[in-house]
Amino acid sequence: MPPKGPEEPEQNPYELLGISQEATEAEIRTAYRTRSLKVHPDRNRNDPNAAQKFHALTTASTLLLDPLRRLALDAQFRLQAAKKQRFAAYDNKRKTMVTELEEREQEFKRARMAKQQDKVVRESENDRIREEGRRLREQREKELELQALEREREPEETNGEDTLTPPPLGDLDTTIRVKYSLSSHSMLSTAPALAAHLQRYGEIDNEAVVMSQKVRKPKKSKGQTVGQTIMTALVTFNQLGAAFGVVSSAASLKEQGMDVAWAGGSEPPILSWLRDRGELGGTASRCPKSPQTKTVPEDTTFSSFPSSFPSFDAAPPQPPPVATVGMDYESLTLLRMREAERARLEKEILEAEAAEGG
């Protein structure tokens, strides 16, 4: 059997004798004699614990006067002190961890509250945008209804003068809508790039080009999620002939992955008027004399536009005179700015609805 270690005393012998661990043998004997006389049973007959105290002092002095047993006891005390110090370090570390966890929890709660507040603000802004969009749509519908009523109330000309008077220029007569996939035309991600791409048809009002993008819902293809970005742009040309040339080239542009159409949803009335007069390849019905024309250069990049386009700068020599088509630059600029603002609001509304639907 392995040797037994020293029995651990019930009390610290050094504390019983009132000495330090560095005390000498003489100091131990002196302390024993002094304390044993105070607790000796013969001197403390009325104390029932006197014998037990005297025995404890005797055991403590005997233990400390044995060098080997004292070394083992001192080693045991050093281990206990180290263990106590190690547990104190562990306790400090545990307290630090608890403090850090509490701080993280408080930070998480603050972040969650901030997120909820941001959500409330976004919902309020979305409601405001939807209300503004609804108001604009109602205003636009009322304007269209008034225009339709005005057109219905206009008396029909029976003397043929209506065929000589061109219709008024609309706000979107020189504006086209272009729609394409960004993956097919990666270079056309900005308004200047798209304007430069369509510059071959004619001069473009770069300030009036409005672009928006929408990401279609991703579709799973062979285990991968694929999303497609669709670009939609409103491009305003300085001349009606340039816009007509782009729309006339819609078939060839369709093959290139680009859909082109009139921004107003239908062909401008001025083109139908020109077609009735035979200026766009149709048969002139009641035109006494064809107006002056401007020849289009033969090196133009599109071939569907007619070789000439009527100019309304000079009126026909026969009465009644032909009304001049067009608007002053300031009025046209204001109209384009209003249309750009409406397009921006409609874009925000569509984005908000798409975000809610997602």
Side-chain angles (χ1 to χ4, degrees):
M1 296 178 61
K4 294 183 180 180
E7 295 181 0
E8 182 178 356
E10 295 181 358
Q11 295 180 343
N12 191 332
Y14 294 103
E15 294 178 356
L16 288 175
L17 296 176
I19 57 178
S20 64
Q21 292 186 5
E22 292 78 13
T24 61
E25 183 177 348
E27 293 174 347
I28 294 173
R29 293 181 184 276
T30 302
Y32 171 71
R33 284 195 298 271
T34 303
R35 296 222 171 187
S36 63
L37 289 175
K38 292 181 180 181
V39 299
H40 197 279
D42 295 340
R43 292 188 176 186
N44 299 275
R45 298 182 181 276
N46 297 327
D47 187 2
N49 297 325
Q52 183 178 359
K53 295 178 180 178
F54 181 79
H55 177 72
L57 287 174
T58 303
T59 303
S61 64
T62 303
L63 176 62
L64 295 179
L65 291 175
D66 188 343
L68 296 180
R69 296 179 65 188
R70 184 179 180 183
L71 287 175
L73 182 64
D74 290 344
Q76 183 179 0
F77 285 159
R78 285 194 297 272
L79 289 176
Q80 291 177 354
K83 183 178 180 181
K84 184 177 181 180
Q85 185 177 3
R86 186 167 63 253
F87 284 168
Y90 288 160
D91 188 58
N92 293 333
K93 186 176 181 181
R94 182 186 63 80
K95 291 180 180 179
T96 303
M97 292 177 65
V98 170
T99 304
E100 291 179 354
L101 289 175
E102 291 178 353
E103 291 178 354
R104 290 181 182 179
E105 185 177 359
Q106 292 295 330
E107 183 178 358
F108 174 76
K109 291 181 179 179
R110 289 193 295 268
R112 184 174 60 185
M113 292 295 296
K115 186 176 180 181
Q116 292 177 355
Q117 293 177 358
D118 291 343
K119 183 178 179 181
V120 172
V121 171
R122 286 197 303 269
E123 290 178 352
S124 177
E125 184 66 15
N126 292 336
D127 293 340
R128 185 190 67 79
I129 292 174
R130 283 195 296 270
E131 182 64 22
E132 182 68 15
R134 183 190 62 79
R135 186 183 63 81
L136 290 175
R137 284 196 298 268
E138 292 179 354
Q139 181 180 356
R140 182 59 177 173
E141 290 175 357
K142 291 180 180 179
E143 292 177 356
L144 293 176
E145 290 178 359
L146 291 176
Q147 293 176 4
L149 291 175
E150 290 177 358
R151 285 195 298 268
E152 291 177 358
R153 292 173 183 175
E154 290 179 356
E156 297 182 356
E157 296 292 338
T158 59
N159 56 3
E161 293 182 359
D162 55 345
T163 60
L164 298 177
T165 304
L169 182 63
D171 296 343
L172 301 177
D173 281 359
T174 59
T175 305
I176 64 171
R177 185 181 71 253
V178 184
K179 188 175 182 181
Y180 55 91
S181 173
L182 188 59
S183 60
S184 302
H185 301 276
S186 58
M187 301 298 294
L188 305 180
S189 59
T190 61
L194 180 61
H197 181 71
L198 299 177
Q199 193 75 30
R200 63 181 185 273
Y201 293 97
E203 295 183 1
I204 297 175
D205 187 359
N206 294 331
E207 299 297 331
V209 177
V210 181
M211 298 189 68
S212 65
Q213 65 179 8
K214 180 179 181 182
V215 180
R216 290 182 177 176
K217 292 184 178 180
K219 298 180 179 179
K220 292 186 178 180
S221 177
K222 296 183 180 180
Q224 298 180 354
T225 303
V226 181
Q228 187 177 15
T229 302
I230 303 300
M231 304 295 295
T232 304
L234 296 179
V235 182
T236 302
F237 287 87
N238 292 339
Q239 295 182 0
L240 177 61
F244 178 75
V246 179
V247 177
S248 299
S249 304
S252 60
L253 293 175
K254 179 72 173 181
E255 295 177 356
Q256 301 176 10
M258 184 177 295
D259 293 334
V260 179
W262 292 104
S266 60
E267 184 180 73
I270 184 66
L271 294 179
S272 300
W273 179 80
L274 292 172
R275 189 176 291 107
D276 293 339
R277 293 171 56 87
E279 299 297 338
L280 293 181
T283 302
S285 57
R286 291 173 291 181
C287 179
K289 186 176 179 179
S290 60
Q292 297 178 359
T293 60
K294 294 181 181 180
T295 304
V296 179
E298 295 180 356
D299 56 350
T300 183
T301 55
F302 54 88
S303 60
S304 60
F305 192 67
S307 60
S308 63
F309 193 81
S311 173
F312 306 106
D313 297 333
Q318 297 181 1
V322 179
T324 302
V325 179
M327 301 178 64
D328 58 286
Y329 182 76
E330 182 179 358
S331 299
L332 185 59
T333 302
L334 291 176
L335 287 174
R336 289 172 178 169
M337 290 176 64
R338 286 197 293 270
E339 290 299 328
E341 180 65 14
R342 290 176 182 175
R344 183 184 66 81
L345 291 175
E346 290 178 358
K347 175 187 174 184
E348 293 180 357
I349 294 170
L350 292 175
E351 290 178 354
E353 292 177 352
E356 291 180 357

